[in-house]
Amino acid sequence: MTSLFPLSLTELAARVVAENAAAGRKVVLAESCTGGLVCAAITEIPGSSEVLERGFVTYSNEAKIESLGVSAELIDTFGAVSVAVAWGMARGALKHSDADVAVAITGIAGPGGGSESKPVGTVVFACALRGQNENDISAEQKNFDPSLSRSKIRQEAAMVALELLLP
């Protein structure tokens, strides 16, 4: 199969589609720094319509607030690239969809935009399951090598997000 994406990304996306279809699960994505890359990788796979419920590309803070219901206070207090905001994005994606599992991604892909406390390559992920207690939504920060290209950071972030979607 010819693909727009590297083989590693499409192979993992194929696993996400197959395993979630087998589990009867629908997924939703809330993407910021990946700009829809995770949804695009999933839709490269035949049968993805059985699994992908929808995706939100909420690149701006306003989009996070309007589309996902992330609190402006969370963004002001912790910054858009934070565990708190990723948590709010995942929660909002579930709330605004019929999916069973949500993954959110927010980060700094570079080459600019980083700071001492949040350097380029800082990406935060959150995963939420329908019916789960909100306090149990998992979120984690990963720090990819800041010397990687913008494209490589986004690709690595997409790989992490796909792993989080595996049942």
Side-chain angles (χ1 to χ4, degrees), residues 29-35 38 58 64 68 74 78-91 102-109 117-128 137-144 153-154 156-162 164:
L29 277 300
E31 300 185 63
S32 187
C33 65
T34 49
V38 182
T58 54
K64 290 172 182 68
L68 299 172
L74 274 183
F78 299 102
V81 180
S82 64
V83 165
V85 169
W87 179 91
M89 289 170 66
R91 186 176 143 264
V103 166
I105 310 111
T106 183
I108 305 161
S117 62
K118 294 178 186 176
V120 168
T122 303
V123 183
V124 186
F125 303 86
C127 183
I137 294 173
S138 63
E140 67 173 319
Q141 178 176 311
K142 291 204 176 281
N143 296 302
F144 298 104
I153 289 170
R154 293 175 68 235
E156 291 297 321
M159 294 289 289
V160 171
L162 287 168
L164 290 172

Side-chain angles (χ1 to χ4, degrees), residues 7-149:
L7 185 60
S8 58
L9 198 61
T10 53
E11 285 178 344
L12 186 52
R15 277 189 59 207
V16 166
V17 170
E19 292 181 26
N20 279 286
R25 289 192 341 169
K26 294 269 191 188
V27 304
V28 60
L29 277 300
E31 300 185 63
S32 187
C33 65
T34 49
L37 182 60
V38 182
C39 284
I42 290 171
T43 59
E44 278 286 285
I45 308 305
S48 58
S49 59
E50 290 179 45
V51 170
L52 182 63
E53 204 273 339
R54 72 183 70 188
F56 297 91
V57 177
T58 54
Y59 209 70
S60 70
N61 290 344
E62 293 77 17
K64 290 172 182 68
I65 294 164
E66 292 170 17
S67 298
L68 299 172
V70 175
S71 156
E73 291 77 30
L74 274 183
I75 294 171
D76 291 344
T77 303
F78 299 102
V81 180
S82 64
V83 165
V85 169
W87 179 91
M89 289 170 66
R91 186 176 143 264
L94 270 186
K95 184 178 179 182
H96 294 93
S97 74
D98 292 323
D100 303 297
V101 61
V103 166
I105 310 111
T106 183
I108 305 161
S115 67
E116 195 173 311
S117 62
K118 294 178 186 176
V120 168
T122 303
V123 183
V124 186
F125 303 86
C127 183
L129 301 171
R130 183 151 318 276
Q132 173 185 43
N133 183 310
E134 288 186 353
N135 296 327
D136 294 332
I137 294 173
S138 63
E140 67 173 319
Q141 178 176 311
K142 291 204 176 281
N143 296 302
F144 298 104
D145 183 344
S147 69
L148 292 174
S149 68

